[in-house]
Amino acid sequence: MYKSITVLFLSLFLVQCESSSETTTTDCSIVSCFSNNFKMIIIDEASGANLIANGTYTASNITIFDEASMNAAFSVTTTEETPGIYLSIDILESQEKSYTVNLKTDAFFTMNMDIEKTGEGSECCGIDTEIDSISVSGATSEIDLENKTITLFIL
């Protein structure tokens, strides 16, 4: 009798453990994480042409380095009204970040950002951020912190 009760108890316990150990995976492919991206618009200073829109610079001839962790994640969009480069900002806490951007062999510039952690974010998009300040060397720029956009004028 005790054996039967013990076996029944263990069976129920194992069934409970098995069902509670299931994990759900989130499909992040359907999520756009624009809140942690920073857009760079590259303009020819002489002609005013958008150099991403006209194909002068493409993803294959742009490199962006995060000075702390080397390669930085970015994407190039040409389908928007104003084509540009989206730089993914990945941080775990508020900090300063420095990026070096190389456009072919024609131009390069550096950006220093003061980035503030504003929330815990999500599994797909990471930590929520806000950019407090940006400084650029190597290019003339117009900075819009509210929209997380910078327009860079290249000679």
Side-chain angles (χ1 to χ4, degrees):
M1 172 86 167
Y2 289 113
K3 240 185 200 180
S4 299
I5 292 174
T6 304
V7 169
L8 179 63
F9 176 74
L10 284 174
S11 298
L12 288 174
F13 179 75
L14 291 175
V15 168
Q16 278 291 350
C17 289
E18 191 173 20
S19 66
S20 66
S21 67
E22 291 178 23
T23 58
T24 12
T25 54
T26 305
D27 182 8
C28 293
S29 66
I30 59 173
V31 177
S32 295
C33 301
F34 290 114
S35 64
N36 288 334
N37 285 328
F38 184 78
K39 185 175 182 179
M40 293 179 281
I41 302 165
I42 311 298
I43 302 294
D44 181 287
E45 192 167 29
S47 69
N50 183 315
L51 298 175
I52 300 294
N54 72 11
T56 300
Y57 300 117
T58 63
S60 65
N61 56 31
I62 298 170
T63 55
I64 302 177
F65 294 100
D66 174 344
E67 292 183 14
S69 62
M70 292 313 286
N71 287 330
F74 71 94
S75 62
V76 175
T77 62
T78 56
T79 57
E80 295 179 343
E81 184 178 328
T82 307
I85 304 166
Y86 281 97
L87 173 63
S88 177
I89 299 172
D90 296 323
I91 63 168
L92 297 176
E93 59 188 41
S94 297
Q95 65 187 60
E96 289 185 17
K97 298 277 278 184
S98 295
Y99 295 97
T100 300
V101 180
N102 292 304
L103 307 170
K104 286 186 184 177
T105 56
D106 302 340
F108 98 92
F109 56 91
T110 58
M111 293 187 307
N112 294 311
M113 298 181 180
D114 185 17
I115 305 168
E116 180 182 347
K117 176 183 173 184
T118 58
E120 295 305 315
S122 68
E123 181 180 343
C124 293
C125 295
I127 294 171
D128 296 329
T129 61
E130 184 175 304
I131 299 171
D132 291 332
S133 66
I134 298 174
S135 63
V136 177
S137 61
T140 305
S141 62
E142 291 177 3
I143 300 167
D144 181 354
L145 290 177
E146 184 177 327
N147 294 314
K148 292 187 176 181
T149 303
I150 187 168
T151 303
L152 296 147
F153 299 94
I154 307 298
L155 294 173

